[in-house]
Amino acid sequence: MTPIGASPDVLVVGEALVDIVHRGDGSVDEKPGGSPANVAITLGRLGRRPRLLTHVGDDDRGRLVRAWLEASGVEVTGRAAARTSTATAVLDATGAARYAFAIEWDVDAAGADIPGALHVGSIATTLAPGADAVLGLVERARGRALVTFDPNIRPSLVTDADDVRRRVRALIERAHVVKASDEDVAWLHPGADLEEVARAWVAAGPALVVVTSGAEGALAATASGIVRVPAPRVDVVDTVGAGDTFMGALVDGLLDAGTSGSRARETIAALDGARLTSLLRRSADAAAVTVSRPGADPPTRAELDARG
């Protein structure tokens, strides 16, 4: 990973928090997390130079979060919160997580420097007052950087479903790349076919839409068509951070393909089916490493390369 201090090549914007995990064996542990923070960690471990614009407290949990991020080469910035947010995850017998949140989100993005790529996602894109600032940053970045978005809907935090769907739609229309889970799609478009939704989103703006379906694999939609890949077979410990690892590996792979900067859309549009399949397989491999061990613990580049 690259030491902190080098100029960032990816700006990640969103929540960093502490996951309080209740496991099936009755044990409880606290670990740093948060979807955008997990994406930043993944990018750092894959050798990128991520900066995370976030909102954590100057408290014991906040210091834990910062140390965790910085250990993987993530530069942390943003105004301090009154307290560090938490997400309580209760794992079922399969390792799947059900969440409850105690979170606040506020961020000053007006003066943020935008490098070649910007990733936004999850709670930070829909929770006031910070969500408006995130949208403003995306508006500012869309002509000069690769913009990626993962809605990562948290239904337990939704008080106004129409407002959340409006905010998600606005970001879909402005992003170059959207990655969503099948659960996100089901919440946003109840009863709709995943492939049809992916095609509709591409028509609305993004050059690439990826939908993940856990053990069922993933699909990618572009203006040229649909690509599908199966999920690697793996013994699942838990699914915490799996989608975020997939997202981070996808961004890393896209940057390897030269999609940063002002020509991001054109470069993505030029990717053929074989290159997209390779990107999806690599992202799925990264997620498979994460689900094979407890918590949000994405692979290093060496670990991912070792999978072939």
Side-chain angles (χ1 to χ4, degrees), residues 10-14 36 51-54 77-78 105 107-121 124-125 129-149 167 170-171 174-176:
V10 184
L11 176 63
V12 180
V13 182
R51 172 181 290 160
L52 177 66
L53 177 58
T54 191
T77 187
W105 171 246
V107 67
D108 181 6
D113 291 331
I114 302 170
L118 169 69
H119 173 73
V120 302
T125 61
D132 288 339
V134 174
L135 178 60
L137 183 61
V138 168
E139 289 274 17
R140 188 156 60 90
R142 61 189 302 204
R144 66 177 80 173
L146 169 68
V147 178
T148 65
F149 170 49
R167 290 181 181 275
L171 287 165
R174 289 161 174 79
H176 300 121

Side-chain angles (χ1 to χ4, degrees), residues 114-203:
I114 302 170
L118 169 69
H119 173 73
V120 302
S122 197
I123 297 164
T125 61
T126 59
L127 185 65
D132 288 339
V134 174
L135 178 60
L137 183 61
V138 168
E139 289 274 17
R140 188 156 60 90
R142 61 189 302 204
R144 66 177 80 173
L146 169 68
V147 178
T148 65
F149 170 49
D150 179 0
N152 199 14
I153 304 296
R154 301 302 193 185
S156 63
L157 280 175
V158 174
T159 57
D160 185 337
D162 289 340
D163 180 66
V164 169
R165 289 189 173 99
R166 177 183 61 80
R167 290 181 181 275
V168 169
R169 179 71 179 184
L171 287 165
I172 288 170
E173 291 172 350
R174 289 161 174 79
H176 300 121
V177 178
V178 177
K179 193 282 293 181
S181 69
D182 52 356
E183 292 177 345
D184 294 330
V185 174
W187 190 88
L188 291 164
H189 303 279
D193 178 76
L194 296 181
E195 185 174 314
E196 290 179 1
V197 170
R199 290 182 186 276
W201 285 3
V202 167

